[in-house]
Amino acid sequence: MTDIQFQTVAVLGAGTMGAGIAQVCAQAGSRVVLQDIQDAFVQKGLQRVRESLEVGVQKQKVTPELRDQTLARLTVTTDRAAAARTADLVIEAVPEILELKNGLFRELAAVCRPTTVLATNTSSLSLAKVFAGVDGPGRCLGMHFFNPPPIMKLLEVVKLDGTEQATIDAVMAYAVRLGKDPILVKDSPGFASSRLGVCLGLEAIRMLESGVASAEDIDKAMVLGYGHPMGPLKLTDLVGLDVRLAIADYLRKELDHPGFAAPELMRKMVAEGKLGKKSGQGFYKW
Ligand code: CAA
């Protein structure tokens, strides 16, 4: 696979998104190292990839050969520096905590080759802050994938003022190689996707809270009336209430817009551990 620009990719964070991103990159022919801070996390991520590939085979979207090749190209580690040192592209998919992401990129910039492209999968945080103080701003940008990464076609490529055109071109070309249809968005809170998607989800929770209709019927309104593949409450369950709450709080502050104020019901559910699909209970029982 010598025609791939990013032959070696390090994916940092082996949660739902990180594991899915690792799968997508390995499936496209890159050698991928999936890293997380504990062996249990990387093993869980690897298991996710195995299961997803198995479903892909069952649905005849993935051949058994591609499944085997993908798994052969994927390794896991808990050593972040080792994963990043040899990578042509680093994609960070750790929790949405600004200080965590910024610290990680500052550390990695010193370890990686100067030509290594540094990408964050953040769904809404300011890229200027995520990459503040990182050496080589021309190689930094956002690669925002969507859940589930192996299925969703969109890749939101987010550029900073200082991102070099060559970096953007390489990532846009790689996105196509990954089977994605990329869009290019400038660094602004919530980019093009989360700003609209989260707003809809929050309003749906407010409607549920005030008894406008049941969760099923609110979702049905968007599925059958607007042709969405999934209603906003079920989607919030899929993404994770905790993830969306953090985004809402951030956008409320950054955009100073009351539409992003998180509903009390959402805070209560998060405090009770009702995080959606990953915890087994959200607006629906999973
Ligand atoms: N591997 C490969 N292909 C697979 C697969 C797998 N493991 N699992 C399913 N597929 C394929 C299916 O074969 C099917 O393909 P066709 O359309 O060609 O038949 C397609 O994927 C859909 O699969 P299903 O029919 O099994 O499932 P579905 O129709 O119920 O769709 C869904 C599932 C794709 C998740 C759909 O409900 C959907 O699009 N929901 C909305 C998801 C969404 O909005 N995601 C974005 C969340 S926001 C986000 O992620 C941003 C953030 O930062 C938090």
Side-chain angles (χ1 to χ4, degrees), residues 17 23 27 51-57 59-62 96 121-124 144-148 150-152 193-194 229-230 235 238-239 243-244 247:
M17 295 306 292
Q23 178 189 333
Q27 221 167 299
E51 285 166 10
S52 168
L53 286 167
E54 228 32 80
V55 175
V57 170
K59 290 185 180 277
Q60 299 188 324
K61 290 291 156 74
V62 177
E96 293 283 89
N121 177 55
T122 184
S123 59
S124 55
H144 182 204
F145 289 80
F146 292 81
N147 189 5
I151 302 177
M152 302 306 285
S193 56
S194 302
M230 183 183 265
L235 183 57
L238 179 73
V239 172
V243 173
R244 280 209 146 170
I247 300 173

Short mmCIF file of all heavy atoms in Angstrom, two decimals, residues 17 23 27 51-57 59-62 96 121-124 144-148 150-152 193-194 229-230 235 238-239 243-244 247, ligand 1:
data_model
loop_
_atom_site.label_atom_id
_atom_site.label_comp_id
_atom_site.label_asym_id
_atom_site.label_seq_id
_atom_site.Cartn_x
_atom_site.Cartn_y
_atom_site.Cartn_z
N MET A 17 -15.26 6.25 19.80
CA MET A 17 -14.78 6.96 18.62
C MET A 17 -13.38 6.50 18.22
O MET A 17 -13.14 6.22 17.05
CB MET A 17 -14.79 8.48 18.87
CG MET A 17 -16.18 9.06 19.06
SD MET A 17 -17.33 8.67 17.73
CE MET A 17 -16.67 9.58 16.37
N GLN A 23 -10.36 1.51 13.27
CA GLN A 23 -10.87 0.52 12.31
C GLN A 23 -10.91 1.09 10.90
O GLN A 23 -10.45 0.46 9.93
CB GLN A 23 -12.28 0.07 12.73
CG GLN A 23 -12.87 -0.93 11.73
CD GLN A 23 -14.33 -1.24 11.98
OE1 GLN A 23 -14.81 -1.15 13.11
NE2 GLN A 23 -15.04 -1.61 10.92
N GLN A 27 -8.75 -0.29 7.88
CA GLN A 27 -9.52 -0.86 6.77
C GLN A 27 -9.09 -0.24 5.43
O GLN A 27 -9.12 -0.89 4.40
CB GLN A 27 -11.00 -0.57 7.03
CG GLN A 27 -11.92 -1.73 6.71
CD GLN A 27 -13.31 -1.50 7.27
OE1 GLN A 27 -13.49 -1.35 8.48
NE2 GLN A 27 -14.30 -1.44 6.41
N GLU A 51 -15.84 -6.83 16.79
CA GLU A 51 -17.29 -7.02 16.68
C GLU A 51 -17.86 -6.26 15.49
O GLU A 51 -18.71 -6.76 14.76
CB GLU A 51 -17.97 -6.56 17.98
CG GLU A 51 -17.77 -7.56 19.11
CD GLU A 51 -18.13 -7.01 20.49
OE1 GLU A 51 -18.71 -5.90 20.56
OE2 GLU A 51 -17.80 -7.68 21.47
N SER A 52 -17.38 -5.04 15.31
CA SER A 52 -17.88 -4.23 14.21
C SER A 52 -17.55 -4.87 12.86
O SER A 52 -18.38 -4.92 11.95
CB SER A 52 -17.28 -2.82 14.30
OG SER A 52 -17.53 -2.12 13.13
N LEU A 53 -16.32 -5.40 12.76
CA LEU A 53 -15.93 -6.06 11.51
C LEU A 53 -16.77 -7.31 11.28
O LEU A 53 -17.17 -7.61 10.15
CB LEU A 53 -14.44 -6.43 11.55
CG LEU A 53 -13.47 -5.25 11.39
CD1 LEU A 53 -12.04 -5.67 11.77
CD2 LEU A 53 -13.49 -4.72 9.95
N GLU A 54 -17.07 -8.01 12.37
CA GLU A 54 -17.88 -9.23 12.26
C GLU A 54 -19.28 -8.89 11.74
O GLU A 54 -19.80 -9.58 10.85
CB GLU A 54 -17.96 -9.88 13.65
CG GLU A 54 -17.67 -11.35 13.72
CD GLU A 54 -16.66 -11.89 12.75
OE1 GLU A 54 -15.47 -11.73 12.99
OE2 GLU A 54 -17.07 -12.50 11.74
N VAL A 55 -19.85 -7.82 12.28
CA VAL A 55 -21.18 -7.37 11.81
C VAL A 55 -21.08 -6.98 10.34
O VAL A 55 -21.95 -7.30 9.53
CB VAL A 55 -21.72 -6.20 12.66
CG1 VAL A 55 -23.02 -5.66 12.09
CG2 VAL A 55 -21.92 -6.63 14.11
N GLY A 56 -19.98 -6.28 10.00
CA GLY A 56 -19.76 -5.89 8.61
C GLY A 56 -19.73 -7.09 7.68
O GLY A 56 -20.29 -7.06 6.58
N VAL A 57 -19.09 -8.18 8.14
CA VAL A 57 -19.03 -9.40 7.33
C VAL A 57 -20.43 -10.00 7.20
O VAL A 57 -20.88 -10.36 6.11
CB VAL A 57 -18.04 -10.43 7.95
CG1 VAL A 57 -18.14 -11.78 7.25
CG2 VAL A 57 -16.60 -9.89 7.85
N LYS A 59 -23.20 -8.52 7.31
CA LYS A 59 -24.04 -7.67 6.45
C LYS A 59 -23.48 -7.56 5.03
O LYS A 59 -23.97 -6.78 4.23
CB LYS A 59 -24.19 -6.27 7.06
CG LYS A 59 -25.03 -6.26 8.32
CD LYS A 59 -25.25 -4.84 8.83
CE LYS A 59 -26.09 -4.84 10.09
NZ LYS A 59 -27.52 -4.90 9.86
N GLN A 60 -22.41 -8.30 4.79
CA GLN A 60 -21.75 -8.34 3.48
C GLN A 60 -21.24 -6.98 3.03
O GLN A 60 -21.23 -6.65 1.86
CB GLN A 60 -22.70 -8.94 2.43
CG GLN A 60 -23.08 -10.37 2.79
CD GLN A 60 -23.86 -11.07 1.70
OE1 GLN A 60 -24.66 -10.45 1.01
NE2 GLN A 60 -23.62 -12.35 1.53
N LYS A 61 -20.82 -6.17 4.01
CA LYS A 61 -20.20 -4.88 3.70
C LYS A 61 -18.68 -4.99 3.80
O LYS A 61 -17.95 -4.11 3.35
CB LYS A 61 -20.70 -3.80 4.67
CG LYS A 61 -22.14 -3.44 4.44
CD LYS A 61 -22.29 -2.71 3.12
CE LYS A 61 -23.67 -2.80 2.52
NZ LYS A 61 -24.65 -2.01 3.15
N VAL A 62 -18.22 -6.04 4.48
CA VAL A 62 -16.78 -6.28 4.67
C VAL A 62 -16.52 -7.73 4.28
O VAL A 62 -17.26 -8.62 4.70
CB VAL A 62 -16.40 -6.06 6.16
CG1 VAL A 62 -14.93 -6.38 6.41
CG2 VAL A 62 -16.71 -4.64 6.61
N GLU A 96 -13.38 14.90 26.05
CA GLU A 96 -13.47 16.30 25.64
C GLU A 96 -13.09 17.26 26.78
O GLU A 96 -13.92 18.04 27.27
CB GLU A 96 -14.89 16.59 25.15
CG GLU A 96 -15.25 15.86 23.85
CD GLU A 96 -14.64 16.50 22.61
OE1 GLU A 96 -13.51 16.13 22.26
OE2 GLU A 96 -15.29 17.37 22.02
N ASN A 121 -10.04 14.88 17.18
CA ASN A 121 -11.41 14.48 16.83
C ASN A 121 -12.43 15.26 17.67
O ASN A 121 -13.59 14.89 17.74
CB ASN A 121 -11.57 12.97 17.07
CG ASN A 121 -12.98 12.46 16.80
OD1 ASN A 121 -13.53 12.66 15.72
ND2 ASN A 121 -13.60 11.84 17.80
N THR A 122 -11.99 16.36 18.30
CA THR A 122 -12.95 17.09 19.13
C THR A 122 -14.19 17.45 18.32
O THR A 122 -14.11 17.77 17.14
CB THR A 122 -12.32 18.37 19.74
OG1 THR A 122 -13.30 18.96 20.60
CG2 THR A 122 -11.92 19.39 18.68
N SER A 123 -15.36 17.39 18.99
CA SER A 123 -16.60 17.68 18.28
C SER A 123 -16.99 19.15 18.42
O SER A 123 -17.92 19.59 17.76
CB SER A 123 -17.72 16.80 18.82
OG SER A 123 -17.87 17.03 20.19
N SER A 124 -16.29 19.92 19.27
CA SER A 124 -16.72 21.32 19.42
C SER A 124 -15.67 22.25 20.02
O SER A 124 -15.77 23.46 19.85
CB SER A 124 -17.98 21.38 20.29
OG SER A 124 -17.74 20.73 21.51
N HIS A 144 -12.96 15.46 12.47
CA HIS A 144 -14.12 15.11 13.30
C HIS A 144 -14.92 14.01 12.62
O HIS A 144 -15.54 14.24 11.58
CB HIS A 144 -14.97 16.38 13.52
CG HIS A 144 -16.15 16.16 14.40
ND1 HIS A 144 -17.27 16.95 14.37
CD2 HIS A 144 -16.40 15.22 15.35
CE1 HIS A 144 -18.15 16.52 15.24
NE2 HIS A 144 -17.64 15.46 15.85
N PHE A 145 -14.88 12.83 13.24
CA PHE A 145 -15.62 11.66 12.75
C PHE A 145 -16.98 11.60 13.44
O PHE A 145 -17.18 12.21 14.50
CB PHE A 145 -14.85 10.38 13.05
CG PHE A 145 -13.60 10.20 12.23
CD1 PHE A 145 -12.43 10.86 12.58
CD2 PHE A 145 -13.58 9.37 11.12
CE1 PHE A 145 -11.26 10.69 11.83
CE2 PHE A 145 -12.43 9.18 10.37
CZ PHE A 145 -11.26 9.85 10.72
N PHE A 146 -17.86 10.77 12.91
CA PHE A 146 -19.22 10.66 13.46
C PHE A 146 -19.52 9.23 13.85
O PHE A 146 -18.99 8.29 13.25
CB PHE A 146 -20.22 11.22 12.43
CG PHE A 146 -20.02 12.71 12.28
CD1 PHE A 146 -19.01 13.19 11.47
CD2 PHE A 146 -20.73 13.59 13.06
CE1 PHE A 146 -18.73 14.55 11.41
CE2 PHE A 146 -20.46 14.95 13.01
CZ PHE A 146 -19.46 15.43 12.18
N ASN A 147 -20.32 9.11 14.84
CA ASN A 147 -20.63 7.82 15.47
C ASN A 147 -21.82 7.15 14.77
O ASN A 147 -22.87 7.78 14.67
CB ASN A 147 -20.97 8.12 16.95
CG ASN A 147 -21.09 6.88 17.79
OD1 ASN A 147 -20.85 5.77 17.33
ND2 ASN A 147 -21.49 7.05 19.03
N PRO A 148 -21.69 5.93 14.30
CA PRO A 148 -20.53 5.03 14.35
C PRO A 148 -19.54 5.32 13.20
O PRO A 148 -19.96 5.32 12.03
CB PRO A 148 -21.17 3.64 14.18
CG PRO A 148 -22.60 3.85 13.77
CD PRO A 148 -22.93 5.29 13.79
N PRO A 150 -17.33 3.67 11.43
CA PRO A 150 -17.21 2.85 10.22
C PRO A 150 -18.39 3.04 9.25
O PRO A 150 -18.29 2.66 8.10
CB PRO A 150 -17.20 1.41 10.76
CG PRO A 150 -16.82 1.54 12.20
CD PRO A 150 -17.41 2.84 12.65
N ILE A 151 -19.50 3.60 9.74
CA ILE A 151 -20.68 3.69 8.88
C ILE A 151 -20.95 5.12 8.38
O ILE A 151 -21.30 5.32 7.22
CB ILE A 151 -21.94 3.19 9.64
CG1 ILE A 151 -21.72 1.75 10.11
CG2 ILE A 151 -23.18 3.29 8.75
CD1 ILE A 151 -22.86 1.19 10.92
N MET A 152 -20.74 6.11 9.26
CA MET A 152 -21.11 7.47 8.89
C MET A 152 -20.16 8.04 7.83
O MET A 152 -18.95 7.93 7.97
CB MET A 152 -21.13 8.38 10.13
CG MET A 152 -22.08 7.91 11.22
SD MET A 152 -23.77 7.65 10.64
CE MET A 152 -24.32 9.34 10.50
N SER A 193 -21.33 20.86 12.43
CA SER A 193 -22.19 19.73 12.78
C SER A 193 -22.75 19.81 14.20
O SER A 193 -23.98 19.84 14.39
CB SER A 193 -21.40 18.44 12.62
OG SER A 193 -20.22 18.52 13.41
N SER A 194 -21.88 19.88 15.20
CA SER A 194 -22.36 19.81 16.59
C SER A 194 -23.24 21.02 16.94
O SER A 194 -24.18 20.90 17.71
CB SER A 194 -21.18 19.77 17.56
OG SER A 194 -20.36 18.67 17.28
N PRO A 229 -32.52 9.78 10.13
CA PRO A 229 -32.39 8.32 10.29
C PRO A 229 -32.71 7.87 11.70
O PRO A 229 -33.06 6.71 11.94
CB PRO A 229 -30.91 8.06 9.96
CG PRO A 229 -30.23 9.37 10.14
CD PRO A 229 -31.23 10.42 9.84
N MET A 230 -32.62 8.79 12.66
CA MET A 230 -32.80 8.45 14.07
C MET A 230 -33.27 9.74 14.76
O MET A 230 -32.80 10.82 14.42
CB MET A 230 -31.42 8.04 14.58
CG MET A 230 -31.33 7.58 15.98
SD MET A 230 -29.59 7.24 16.36
CE MET A 230 -29.51 5.50 16.06
N LEU A 235 -30.59 9.56 19.37
CA LEU A 235 -29.22 9.93 18.96
C LEU A 235 -28.41 10.42 20.17
O LEU A 235 -27.22 10.11 20.29
CB LEU A 235 -29.28 11.01 17.87
CG LEU A 235 -27.92 11.45 17.31
CD1 LEU A 235 -27.16 10.26 16.74
CD2 LEU A 235 -28.11 12.51 16.23
N LEU A 238 -27.22 7.51 21.84
CA LEU A 238 -26.11 6.88 21.09
C LEU A 238 -24.79 7.61 21.34
O LEU A 238 -23.75 6.99 21.59
CB LEU A 238 -26.44 6.88 19.59
CG LEU A 238 -25.39 6.29 18.66
CD1 LEU A 238 -25.35 4.77 18.77
CD2 LEU A 238 -25.66 6.66 17.19
N VAL A 239 -24.85 8.94 21.31
CA VAL A 239 -23.63 9.75 21.49
C VAL A 239 -23.18 9.70 22.95
O VAL A 239 -21.99 9.68 23.25
CB VAL A 239 -23.89 11.20 21.05
CG1 VAL A 239 -22.72 12.11 21.41
CG2 VAL A 239 -24.14 11.27 19.54
N VAL A 243 -21.44 13.21 27.13
CA VAL A 243 -20.69 13.85 26.04
C VAL A 243 -21.44 15.09 25.57
O VAL A 243 -20.89 16.18 25.43
CB VAL A 243 -20.48 12.86 24.87
CG1 VAL A 243 -19.85 13.55 23.67
CG2 VAL A 243 -19.62 11.68 25.31
N ARG A 244 -22.75 14.92 25.35
CA ARG A 244 -23.53 16.05 24.84
C ARG A 244 -23.69 17.16 25.88
O ARG A 244 -23.75 18.34 25.53
CB ARG A 244 -24.91 15.56 24.36
CG ARG A 244 -24.82 14.93 22.99
CD ARG A 244 -26.09 15.07 22.22
NE ARG A 244 -25.81 15.23 20.80
CZ ARG A 244 -26.72 15.19 19.85
NH1 ARG A 244 -28.00 15.02 20.17
NH2 ARG A 244 -26.40 15.35 18.59
N ILE A 247 -20.62 19.27 25.76
CA ILE A 247 -20.63 20.12 24.56
C ILE A 247 -21.60 21.29 24.76
O ILE A 247 -21.29 22.44 24.44
CB ILE A 247 -21.04 19.32 23.30
CG1 ILE A 247 -20.07 18.16 23.04
CG2 ILE A 247 -21.10 20.23 22.08
CD1 ILE A 247 -20.51 17.22 21.92
N1 CAA B 1 -19.83 -2.45 9.08
C1 CAA B 1 -20.14 -2.02 7.83
N2 CAA B 1 -21.37 -1.62 7.48
C2 CAA B 1 -22.33 -1.70 8.40
C3 CAA B 1 -22.07 -2.14 9.72
C4 CAA B 1 -20.76 -2.54 10.04
N3 CAA B 1 -20.45 -2.96 11.24
N4 CAA B 1 -23.24 -2.10 10.41
C5 CAA B 1 -24.17 -1.63 9.58
N5 CAA B 1 -23.63 -1.38 8.37
C6 CAA B 1 -24.32 -0.84 7.18
C7 CAA B 1 -25.58 -1.62 6.86
O1 CAA B 1 -25.29 -2.69 6.00
C8 CAA B 1 -26.43 -0.57 6.18
O2 CAA B 1 -25.99 -0.36 4.87
P1 CAA B 1 -27.06 -0.06 3.66
O3 CAA B 1 -27.62 1.30 3.99
O4 CAA B 1 -26.21 -0.06 2.44
O5 CAA B 1 -28.06 -1.15 3.74
C9 CAA B 1 -26.08 0.70 6.96
O6 CAA B 1 -24.78 0.47 7.52
C10 CAA B 1 -27.07 0.97 8.10
O7 CAA B 1 -27.04 -0.12 8.99
P2 CAA B 1 -28.33 -0.81 9.63
O8 CAA B 1 -29.37 -0.98 8.56
O9 CAA B 1 -27.92 -2.01 10.37
O10 CAA B 1 -28.78 0.19 10.74
P3 CAA B 1 -29.77 1.38 10.66
O11 CAA B 1 -30.42 1.51 9.34
O12 CAA B 1 -30.57 1.24 11.88
O13 CAA B 1 -28.77 2.63 10.80
C11 CAA B 1 -27.36 4.18 11.84
C12 CAA B 1 -27.94 2.79 11.91
C13 CAA B 1 -26.37 4.25 10.68
C14 CAA B 1 -26.60 4.40 13.14
C15 CAA B 1 -28.50 5.20 11.62
O14 CAA B 1 -29.48 5.02 12.57
C16 CAA B 1 -28.02 6.62 11.65
O15 CAA B 1 -27.50 7.15 10.68
N6 CAA B 1 -28.25 7.28 12.83
C17 CAA B 1 -27.79 8.62 13.04
C18 CAA B 1 -26.35 8.58 13.47
C19 CAA B 1 -25.79 9.96 13.67
O16 CAA B 1 -26.44 10.95 13.51
N7 CAA B 1 -24.52 10.01 14.07
C20 CAA B 1 -23.85 11.23 14.37
C21 CAA B 1 -23.86 11.39 15.85
S1 CAA B 1 -23.13 12.90 16.33
C22 CAA B 1 -21.52 12.54 16.39
O17 CAA B 1 -21.08 11.44 16.28
C23 CAA B 1 -20.63 13.69 16.58
C24 CAA B 1 -20.00 13.77 17.87
O18 CAA B 1 -18.94 14.34 17.89
C25 CAA B 1 -20.52 13.31 19.13
#
